[in-house]
Amino acid sequence: MNPIALPAFTDNYIWMLHDGTDAVVVDPGDAAPVLAALDERQLALAAILVTHHHGDHVGGVDALRPHLKGPVYGPKREDIPAPFVPLAGGDRIDVLGKHITVLDVPGHTAGHIAYFIENNDGDAPLLFCGDTLFSAGCGRLFEGTAEQMHASLERLAALPGNTRVCCAHEYTLANLKFARAVEPGNAALARYQAECEAARAAGRPTLPALLATERAVNPFLRCAEPEVIAAARTHGAAGTAGAEVFAALRRWKNEFR
Ligand code: ZN
Ligand code: FE
C-alpha cells in the first residue's frame, strides 16, 4: 500500500492510505483536501490518525467526523479534538487490515507519537512521524528537551532502512541548506540535495524519504559522526555526547538562514 501526499496550507502534507474502498488519513489539519481526495477516488474514511496536538495537524478533525465511519486515534498525553482513542508507545491498532505500532517520540511536543507499519504486504514499511523527523532535519523543540528529541530520533533511526518516512512538512530544501553547512564534505548529502531540487523544480514532493538515506544525510541522525561533532563543537556543543551534539545543532538551526 502506497501513501499519497495531500498538500495542505503552505507546506503541510496530509498522508492518505487506501485499499480502493476505505481510506485512512494522518494529521488532517484541513478537511477540504481530504474530502476532495475521498470524493475523487470514491473512498470512505475509515480512520484518522493524529501524531500531536498542533492546529495544522488536527484542525480538520471535527469537520471530517461526520464523514468518518471509524475512530480518531491520537496521543494519550495530548489534548486533541475529542472523542478519540488514546494511544501511547507500544500500543498496536489495526487499520485497513494493517497492524500499526505506536511509538513514543516526545520532543516537538510532550506527547508526540508516531505510527509504524512494518508489514505492508510486500511494500516497504511506512512511518508517519508528524513533526518529529523531517527529511534532512527535525522538528523544533516546543515542549520537550533536546535529550528527549535525540532519543526519539534514535528510536526512529533504528527502524528498517527501507522504511519510507512520511513527514508532515515539505521542509527538505531548507533543511538541506543547513545540513550542507554542518557537513560540507558529505558526498551523499550533495547528491541528495540535487535530487530534491530536481523534484521540487518538477513540482513533486521530496517525500516519502527513505530512512537509509536519512541516516546518510540528516545531521540530526548523525550526532556520532566526527564531522558533525566537530561542527557542533564550533557552535556551542558542551561535549561530544549525542544529546549535547544534537542540542547544539538544534540551536544553530533555529538561527540559520
Ligand atoms: Zn507541530
Ligand atoms: Fe506541523
Side-chain angles (χ1 to χ4, degrees):
M1 204 172 276
N2 293 313
I4 299 169
L6 307 177
F9 309 117
T10 52
D11 52 31
N12 283 69
Y13 291 127
I14 300 167
W15 290 96
M16 186 170 87
L17 279 178
H18 72 85
D19 62 11
T21 307
D22 289 322
V24 52
V25 291
V26 185
D27 286 351
D30 187 7
V34 175
L35 293 172
L38 293 171
D39 193 52
E40 184 188 323
R41 297 170 179 83
Q42 293 296 297
L43 300 168
L45 185 57
I48 293 175
L49 308 180
V50 170
T51 63
H52 69 292
H53 69 86
H54 286 160
D56 64 315
H57 299 252
V58 302
V61 168
D62 284 337
L64 288 172
R65 226 182 270 277
H67 306 269
L68 178 63
K69 60 178 194 177
V72 175
Y73 294 100
K76 177 163 98 182
R77 281 180 278 275
E78 298 199 352
D79 184 20
I80 75 154
F84 72 100
V85 178
L87 299 174
D91 286 343
R92 284 163 181 278
I93 56 174
D94 284 308
V95 175
L96 302 183
K98 307 242 177 268
H99 300 299
I100 302 183
T101 305
V102 179
L103 306 168
D104 277 325
V105 287
H108 177 69
T109 61
H112 200 304
I113 58 174
Y115 298 91
F116 180 55
I117 301 178
E118 174 136 45
N119 188 345
N120 189 19
D121 299 329
D123 288 322
L126 297 174
L127 174 68
F128 299 96
C129 55
D131 289 353
T132 299
L133 174 60
F134 294 127
S135 185
C138 72
R140 286 175 185 266
L141 306 180
F142 286 120
E143 297 171 9
T145 64
E147 288 72 18
Q148 284 178 318
M149 188 61 142
H150 179 247
S152 294
L153 291 173
E154 291 210 308
R155 198 165 299 140
L156 297 182
L159 296 174
N162 65 337
T163 299
R164 294 202 291 160
V165 185
C166 302
C167 319
H169 290 271
E170 179 63 67
Y171 289 158
T172 311
L173 294 188
N175 288 339
L176 282 165
K177 215 174 132 198
F178 175 72
R180 292 296 300 276
V182 177
E183 282 191 283
N186 183 336
L189 180 53
R191 280 196 301 276
Y192 183 60
Q193 186 179 32
E195 273 171 41
C196 291
E197 281 171 353
R200 294 309 289 151
R204 283 183 281 117
T206 59
L207 303 170
L210 190 64
L211 190 62
T213 302
E214 291 306 308
R215 293 199 286 248
V217 305
N218 189 323
F220 296 99
L221 303 185
R222 297 171 57 76
C223 294
E225 294 295 321
E227 191 178 1
V228 176
I229 294 172
R233 292 287 274 172
T234 65
H235 286 80
T240 59
E244 292 172 316
V245 172
F246 174 81
L249 288 180
R250 189 56 263 182
R251 281 194 307 270
W252 178 12
K253 171 76 166 65
N254 291 347
E255 276 116 52
F256 185 82
R257 291 286 174 276

